[in-house]
């Protein structure tokens, strides 16, 4: 495995998690993205949100 492949996989994983978090906040809450992140951080639910966003990584893993 090349180091470039590892770097590309890491970048895709970060982008996938961000897209998952963004979609969850915009589709399932009444907040805008930044306001939703702030509200969930104040409720100590930010880690759970990131875990939900990481579900997109499973889809990316199965595709590539």
């Amino acid at each position: 495995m090349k180091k470039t492949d590892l770097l590309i996989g890491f970048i895709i994983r970060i982008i996938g998690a961000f897209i998952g978090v963004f979609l969850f906040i915009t589709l399932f809450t009444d907040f805008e993205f930044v306001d939703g992140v702030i509200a969930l951080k104040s409720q100590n639910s930010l880690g759970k949100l990131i875990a939900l966003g990481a579900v997109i990584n499973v889809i990316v893993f199965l595709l590539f």
Side-chain angles (χ1 to χ4, degrees), residues 12-41 45-57:
I12 289 173
R13 185 176 302 167
I14 296 296
I15 291 171
F18 178 77
I19 290 171
V21 168
F22 180 78
L23 289 174
F24 179 78
I25 289 176
T26 55
L27 295 177
F28 297 114
T29 65
D30 295 330
F31 298 112
E32 295 292 324
F33 178 69
V34 175
D35 296 331
V37 170
I38 292 170
L40 289 168
K41 184 179 178 186
S45 297
L46 194 57
K48 296 173 187 174
L49 175 67
I50 294 171
L52 282 173
V55 171
I56 297 272
N57 289 332

